[in-house]
Amino acid sequence: MSLYNPFLLTDKTILVTGASSGIGKAIAIECSKMGANVIITGRDQNRLKETFSLLQGEGNLQLIADFSTTEGINSFVEKLPDLNGVVHAAGIIKRLPLKFINEKALNELMQTNLYAPALLTQQLYKKKKLIDKSSIVFISSIAASFSSIGNIMYMASKGALNSLCKGIAFELSRNGIRVNSVLPGMVQTNLTKVITEQEIQDDIKRYPLGRYGKPEEIAYAAVYLLSDTTQWMTGSLLTIDGGITLR
Amino acid sequence: MQERFISLFKETLEMEGKNVQPGDLFREYEEWDSMGQLSLIAMIDEEYDVVIEGKKFQEIQTIAQLVEAIELEKTK
């Protein structure tokens, strides 16, 4: 008898965006380890290949996708098989103080962090790629309501993403599709390399649990939300942040 | 270049009316903090189309060295 595990993703097909690095990469790997067939997309083809090489099982797929236009999203969705779940992990960050934010930077952030997941979800739904009881997961951030220096544009994009999640969750509940978000605190990924080592060490001291998160620790939450254990869970914003927002 | 930069620097750090010299160790200004640093990097990007990497930026001590770094990037 195999060990009891209600969190297995055996025979589920899961799409993971932003899988070339960081949290998206960890999610793709953990989903494959839990038995899912994983379809990955990402901006950096070389790093995407590396993620692909780390996936377990034979049923995985890597696809080139351009989520910056509606046409790109539509043609991508047409190539997809039926899905049991999708994790929107693609995201970018740019820190600019209020005096320096501008239309171009705002558009870039909103495009990647909000419009792309919104329109991709719409197309997945319209083209009936999400089969019964499937699960949609957005990787948001505690930044949606937790300020840090110069993070205005990113905060706004993630706040809007949380609202998007709840709106879609309500609308798709009639189809038995559940929609939830994970809100990580600072996780050790490439997104964080712009600040100095000293600033990082000082920032880590503010975390009640004493360190930044690991990408896998966010991936496990995605696995949970994709698994059959969460069939009665929708519209939730799951914070995983080492306690930083307790302050 | 240097004169214009100092004027932009003062505006960015909200130090209008203060005495700012090329040899000043700008990190010792009382106005200097992480928001100031982020603002300065953003200003240099906006005004000069130059992005100074975090690590390199940490090595820069004076206003004159900042100007040098921008000019060096510009010639690349």
Side-chain angles (χ1 to χ4, degrees), chain A residues 96-97 99-100 149-150 196, chain B residues 11-12 14 38-39 43 46 58:
Chain A
L96 289 176
K99 277 198 282 188
F100 294 95
I149 294 281
T196 66
Chain B
E11 189 189 327
T12 304
E14 298 181 0
L38 197 60
S39 297
M43 181 275 282
E46 194 175 282
Q58 293 310 314

Side-chain angles (χ1 to χ4, degrees), chain A residues 88-107:
Chain A
H88 297 277
I92 53 172
I93 188 165
K94 189 173 177 72
R95 287 180 190 268
L96 289 176
L98 180 61
K99 277 198 282 188
F100 294 95
I101 68 172
N102 56 72
E103 191 179 349
K104 181 168 169 280
L106 263 170
N107 278 338

Side-chain angles (χ1 to χ4, degrees), chain A residues 131-245:
Chain A
I131 64 170
D132 202 27
K133 293 183 178 173
S134 55
S135 169
I136 299 171
V137 180
F138 294 103
I139 303 304
S140 180
S141 168
I142 56 164
S145 57
F146 187 73
S147 300
S148 61
I149 294 281
N151 212 17
I152 301 164
M153 298 186 295
Y154 183 78
M155 290 176 67
S157 73
K158 293 300 190 179
L161 187 66
N162 287 356
S163 301
L164 181 88
C165 168
K166 287 190 177 256
I168 296 176
F170 188 55
E171 199 169 313
L172 296 194
S173 57
R174 72 173 83 178
N175 303 82
I177 297 171
R178 57 212 205 275
V179 188
N180 297 285
S181 293
V182 182
L183 281 56
M186 189 61 92
V187 168
Q188 296 163 341
T189 73
N190 288 336
L191 283 180
T192 59
K193 73 181 171 191
V194 283
I195 45 180
T196 66
E197 186 56 31
Q198 188 55 48
E199 285 171 312
I200 291 171
Q201 291 311 319
D202 291 345
D203 191 44
I204 282 173
K205 286 191 191 123
R206 298 171 55 236
Y207 277 70
L209 289 179
R211 60 172 174 83
Y212 284 164
K214 300 171 188 168
E216 313 85 91
E217 290 171 322
I218 308 307
Y220 302 140
V223 167
Y224 168 65
L225 293 171
L226 292 165
S227 75
D228 289 336
T229 61
T230 46
Q231 291 292 346
W232 201 55
M233 181 171 176
T234 198
S236 285
L237 309 176
L238 190 56
T239 297
I240 304 179
D241 68 351
I244 188 70
T245 55

Side-chain angles (χ1 to χ4, degrees), chain A residues 27-130:
Chain A
I27 289 170
I29 293 168
E30 293 305 321
C31 285
S32 76
K33 286 181 178 172
M34 293 300 275
N37 299 314
V38 183
I39 301 168
I40 57 172
T41 69
R43 276 178 302 173
D44 186 321
Q45 289 309 309
N46 287 329
R47 287 193 296 165
L48 193 66
K49 259 185 216 164
E50 194 207 307
T51 302
F52 191 74
S53 72
L54 297 169
L55 299 180
Q56 291 202 358
E58 302 303 317
N60 306 304
L61 206 60
Q62 52 180 329
L63 290 177
I64 295 167
D66 174 16
F67 294 147
S68 65
T69 66
T70 301
E71 297 75 41
I73 290 171
N74 293 359
S75 66
F76 169 76
V77 170
E78 273 162 22
K79 288 184 248 171
L80 291 175
D82 287 349
L83 301 175
N84 301 90
V86 52
V87 184
H88 297 277
I92 53 172
I93 188 165
K94 189 173 177 72
R95 287 180 190 268
L96 289 176
L98 180 61
K99 277 198 282 188
F100 294 95
I101 68 172
N102 56 72
E103 191 179 349
K104 181 168 169 280
L106 263 170
N107 278 338
E108 273 175 24
L109 246 91
M110 286 297 178
Q111 168 58 42
T112 304
N113 294 0
L114 182 68
Y115 300 169
L119 296 172
L120 177 58
T121 304
Q122 179 206 42
Q123 286 303 311
L124 291 173
Y125 177 60
K126 278 179 78 173
K127 299 211 167 86
K128 301 190 192 320
K129 296 293 182 183
L130 295 164

Side-chain angles (χ1 to χ4, degrees), chain B residues 1-53:
Chain B
M1 162 86 187
Q2 191 157 284
E3 201 174 314
R4 177 167 177 267
F5 181 80
I6 288 178
S7 163
L8 289 166
F9 181 96
K10 285 159 88 167
E11 189 189 327
T12 304
L13 277 269
E14 298 181 0
M15 292 177 69
E16 291 98 338
K18 300 260 172 97
N19 181 19
V20 170
Q21 294 299 321
D24 287 358
L25 301 168
F26 58 86
R27 286 173 219 279
E28 291 178 4
Y29 292 146
E30 61 180 272
E31 290 84 354
W32 184 254
D33 59 8
S34 54
M35 182 60 99
Q37 172 173 324
L38 197 60
S39 297
L40 188 62
I41 291 171
M43 181 275 282
I44 292 168
D45 186 8
E46 194 175 282
E47 293 291 332
Y48 300 95
D49 201 20
V50 163
V51 178
I52 303 178
E53 296 292 326

